[in-house]
Amino acid sequence: GAVVSQHPSWVICKSGTSVKIECRSLDFQATTMFWYRQFPKQSLMLMATSNEGSKATYEQGVEKDKFLINHASLTLSTLTVTSAHPEDSSFYICSAMTGSDKNIQYFGAGTRLSVL
Amino acid sequence: EDQVTQSPEALRLQEGESSSLNCSYTVSGLRGLFWYRQDPGKGPEFLFTLYSAGEEKEKERLKATLTKKESFLHITAPKPEDSATYLCAVQGNYGQNFVFGPGTRLSVLP
């Protein structure tokens, strides 16, 4: 199956700093990538959809200036949490979709962000 | 608005005790229904895609079925390693986004 790599798996940062999370499709080209946030014992909440070469589409209630998404190539998308605060602490997961695999989303392993 | 519900919220089984998980959905034209397995602290792992009512897919001890309103994930003779959260998601004809259900937390006791 398709492999999606997400890095880092765990990050701790001080309040007010920015954190960048990378999502790479290792063995396929991802025309579309998605970023999700997951709270403990809850399901995935879609934050934004990222298409290569174009601006990301953010879900209602997600601050685009706080969660910067860049999809500069067909294998890499990044999520930058700017000026992080403790309430941004969460589990962030990316997924990638190929255009040829019947719309299946393949997920990264997730990033646990803890803001002190 | 597309919606997905899953039941039960949590399920405890003895090893070898077969059962089924339910995913009920409302969607404006179904493009696909997806089952994922998620282990604690990990990203979801793809299991199955179903596209039309009557379709069935099998993988080891798991079998997924689909009707026009719901999908079932049947687990036959489960083992402790089947313990995980099972997520159901739908994709409608209008857009590429998935709508995820809340998941079913399955525990299989030895």
Side-chain angles (χ1 to χ4, degrees):
Chain A
V3 179
V4 176
S5 173
Q6 187 171 341
H7 178 80
S9 57
W10 190 294
V11 58
I12 301 174
C13 69
K14 293 182 178 180
S15 185
T17 61
S18 295
V19 174
K20 180 184 284 188
I21 303 170
E22 290 188 351
C23 181
R24 294 180 184 273
S25 56
L26 298 186
D27 53 359
F28 66 99
Q29 292 186 327
T31 54
T32 306
M33 287 184 169
F34 302 85
W35 288 95
Y36 294 85
R37 184 172 180 174
Q38 188 174 34
F39 294 100
K41 295 188 177 181
Q42 292 189 25
S43 192
L44 283 70
M45 182 185 75
L46 179 65
M47 298 175 65
T49 303
S50 169
N51 290 293
E52 186 267 338
S54 62
K55 291 184 178 181
T57 302
Y58 290 82
E59 294 301 298
Q60 191 172 10
V62 178
E63 300 176 59
K64 59 182 66 177
D65 292 333
K66 179 160 191 64
F67 298 100
L68 300 179
I69 292 173
N70 184 283
H71 193 163
S73 77
L74 284 172
T75 59
L76 174 64
S77 177
T78 60
L79 169 67
T80 301
V81 183
T82 63
S83 186
H85 289 92
E87 57 265 31
D88 298 323
S89 298
S90 190
F91 191 55
Y92 293 89
I93 313 175
C94 73
S95 71
M97 177 188 289
T98 74
S100 60
D101 207 358
K102 295 189 175 181
N103 297 326
I104 296 171
Q105 288 189 30
Y106 296 97
F107 285 83
T111 297
R112 173 75 56 194
L113 171 63
S114 297
V115 184
L116 304 178
Chain B
E1 182 181 344
D2 300 345
Q3 288 188 329
V4 178
T5 59
Q6 291 186 247
S7 63
E9 180 178 333
L11 180 63
R12 298 182 75 172
L13 299 173
Q14 289 295 134
E15 184 172 3
E17 180 186 1
S18 301
S19 188
S20 296
L21 282 54
N22 176 266
C23 170
S24 296
Y25 65 91
T26 56
V27 64
S28 51
L30 180 69
R31 183 182 294 184
L33 184 141
F34 303 82
W35 282 98
Y36 288 85
R37 168 194 170 126
Q38 186 176 25
D39 293 302
K42 299 290 180 63
E45 173 190 348
F46 171 72
L47 294 174
F48 302 109
T49 311
L50 300 167
Y51 295 103
S52 58
E55 190 175 359
E56 298 183 352
K57 294 274 182 71
E58 284 190 70
K59 180 181 179 181
E60 296 181 352
R61 296 178 292 281
L62 300 177
K63 178 180 178 180
T65 61
L66 180 65
T67 72
K68 288 186 177 180
K69 293 185 177 181
E70 58 190 351
S71 175
F72 290 94
L73 184 65
H74 307 278
I75 302 177
T76 302
K79 298 181 178 181
E81 52 262 41
D82 295 323
S83 297
T85 295
Y86 290 85
L87 297 168
C88 170
V90 296
Q91 184 185 38
N93 282 330
Y94 304 102
Q96 57 189 178
N97 296 352
F98 282 20
V99 176
F100 277 87
T104 293
R105 292 193 307 278
L106 174 66
S107 299
V108 182
L109 308 177

